[in-house]
Amino acid sequence: MRIVGPGQNAGVYRVPDTDQAVAAVTDCNSFYVSIDPYEGARHAIAESFRNLVASGAVPAGVTNCLNFANPYKPENYYFFERAVKGMSDASETLKLPITSGNVSFYNESAEGPVLPTPTIGMVGLLDDYRKAITGILYPDRDLYLVGHFRPSLEGSQYGLIEFEKNGVRLPELDLSKEVEAAQLIHEANSAGLVDAVVDLSMGGLIFALLKMLFAGKDKEDVLPGFTFSLSGELSSIQGDTLFWGESAHTYLIAVQKSNSENFEKSAEKNGVAISKLGSSNDSGILLLNEMEIDVTDIYTAWDSSLADVLH
């Protein structure tokens, strides 16, 4: 039975005749791999790991589909070899077995090779399907930025769109920080302190926030709003880097206001950095200082863009 469906952090499915559930996800940022195949593959493992953790699952195993161009061309083989090494090293560090996989070579056309894409499949387990987490942000919740937040425009989608270049390096990735943040989420979820979670990856903080705001649209037919209350270190980060910079080992976590104090204590006990971003409401407006952005307009553009292209 499906517990959490498409569009969330991961698909979550109850195991028949038990209280357990299986979560599954596939991930790969091929732009990252094209910049640095070793680090890009490590990021692919880490992003899959985060998506499972954000769903409430404990990551358990890895499979893959390695999509590359003609390996007899030295530059293509280099990307393949380094990506496999990065995938292997990250899986070993996170103590995740690679149980299977396949390779697809010669993916190219007259226009050139495909981006090197070591697609990662990862599964995780939940002891109790009722502990599955969604990414739905409801009104009247406190929202926290959780983890080792190191936003970078290098390799970001913002850099690709705004400056038409991917950069020359990738955001910092420390797998020990991934484990620390995951431990906090597991403990807080077990204690009933977590209301919604989304990991940061492609698109950065603002994309993750919009994903949370959009996630409940089909359920409530209402888009919540959000008021930023930035302070401390966050308020000193340049705006485009803060909102569009991409970072590993970081999550957005929504908490009911009555649980906020206990969540903050749990984060302090686990030694995981958190920053309160603000609170959600029922206004349908993103409010930052004096700037107001209508969430409905953004949702309409997002929801209709594919149909507009296909017409």
Side-chain angles (χ1 to χ4, degrees), residues 11-311:
V12 181
Y13 309 90
R14 184 179 177 182
V15 178
D17 303 318
T18 75
D19 286 340
Q20 295 178 313
V22 174
V25 68
T26 58
D27 271 305
C28 183
N29 186 333
S30 54
F31 294 103
Y32 277 17
V33 184
S34 70
I35 295 170
D36 184 330
Y38 178 82
E39 288 297 323
R42 291 177 72 240
H43 271 279
I45 292 287
E47 184 180 350
S48 295
F49 181 89
R50 284 196 301 280
N51 275 316
L52 289 178
V53 170
S55 74
V58 176
V62 179
T63 186
N64 59 75
C65 179
L66 309 179
N67 302 284
F68 290 82
N70 182 352
Y72 287 99
K73 296 178 181 178
E75 63 274 22
N76 294 336
Y77 187 81
Y78 167 80
F79 278 98
F80 173 70
E81 189 275 335
R82 294 300 292 161
V84 169
K85 178 64 173 171
M87 178 180 65
S88 174
D89 287 353
S91 297
E92 184 174 6
T93 300
L94 294 173
K95 297 180 172 57
L96 295 171
I98 299 178
T99 61
S100 61
N102 75 306
V103 181
S104 176
F105 283 131
Y106 306 102
N107 294 290
E108 50 191 294
S109 68
E111 296 180 358
V114 298
L115 290 175
T117 310
T119 302
I120 303 302
M122 194 178 292
V123 295
L125 301 174
L126 295 88
D127 289 334
D128 185 345
Y129 72 91
R130 290 170 288 255
K131 289 294 185 179
I133 309 171
T134 72
I136 301 174
L137 179 60
Y138 294 104
D140 201 32
R141 302 295 193 269
D142 288 333
L143 190 65
Y144 292 88
L145 185 66
V146 175
H148 191 63
F149 183 53
R150 293 295 181 271
S152 172
L153 295 179
E154 291 280 358
S156 69
Q157 291 297 289
Y158 179 87
L160 181 64
I161 295 170
E162 188 72 11
F163 307 114
E164 298 184 352
K165 62 180 181 179
N166 268 127
V168 296
R169 62 181 64 86
L170 299 182
E172 175 187 334
L173 175 59
D174 183 338
L175 293 177
S176 68
K177 299 298 184 184
E178 295 282 6
V179 174
E180 290 175 2
Q183 183 64 31
L184 168 62
I185 293 172
H186 291 319
E187 289 188 13
N189 187 39
S190 295
L193 302 178
V194 172
D195 197 61
V197 181
V198 167
D199 73 298
L200 265 64
S201 53
M202 185 180 288
L205 187 158
I206 198 68
F207 183 81
L209 174 59
L210 290 173
K211 185 177 178 181
M212 296 183 89
L213 294 173
F214 294 169
K217 181 68 164 62
D218 291 338
K219 292 181 178 294
E220 301 293 327
D221 201 35
V222 173
L223 287 166
F226 187 79
T227 299
F228 283 96
S229 300
L230 300 177
S231 61
E233 182 181 350
L234 291 184
S235 62
S236 66
I237 300 175
Q238 184 176 337
D240 55 355
T241 301
L242 173 64
F243 291 113
W244 299 106
E246 297 175 4
S247 175
H249 25 69
T250 314
Y251 300 82
L252 292 184
I253 298 184
V255 178
Q256 294 192 38
K257 291 181 179 294
S258 59
N259 289 327
S260 293
E261 183 178 353
N262 287 334
F263 177 73
E264 291 173 10
K265 290 179 179 178
S266 181
E268 183 178 7
K269 183 192 73 172
N270 282 275
V272 176
I274 66 171
S275 299
K276 187 175 177 181
L277 290 176
S279 301
S280 58
N281 51 58
D282 60 1
S283 69
I285 298 293
L286 281 179
L287 179 62
L288 175 61
N289 297 330
E290 301 300 318
M291 182 173 64
E292 294 187 5
I293 302 173
D294 192 328
V295 178
T296 303
D297 290 343
I298 303 174
Y299 179 84
T300 300
W302 171 80
D303 187 52
S304 63
S305 58
L306 181 59
D308 292 342
V309 170
L310 295 177
H311 280 158

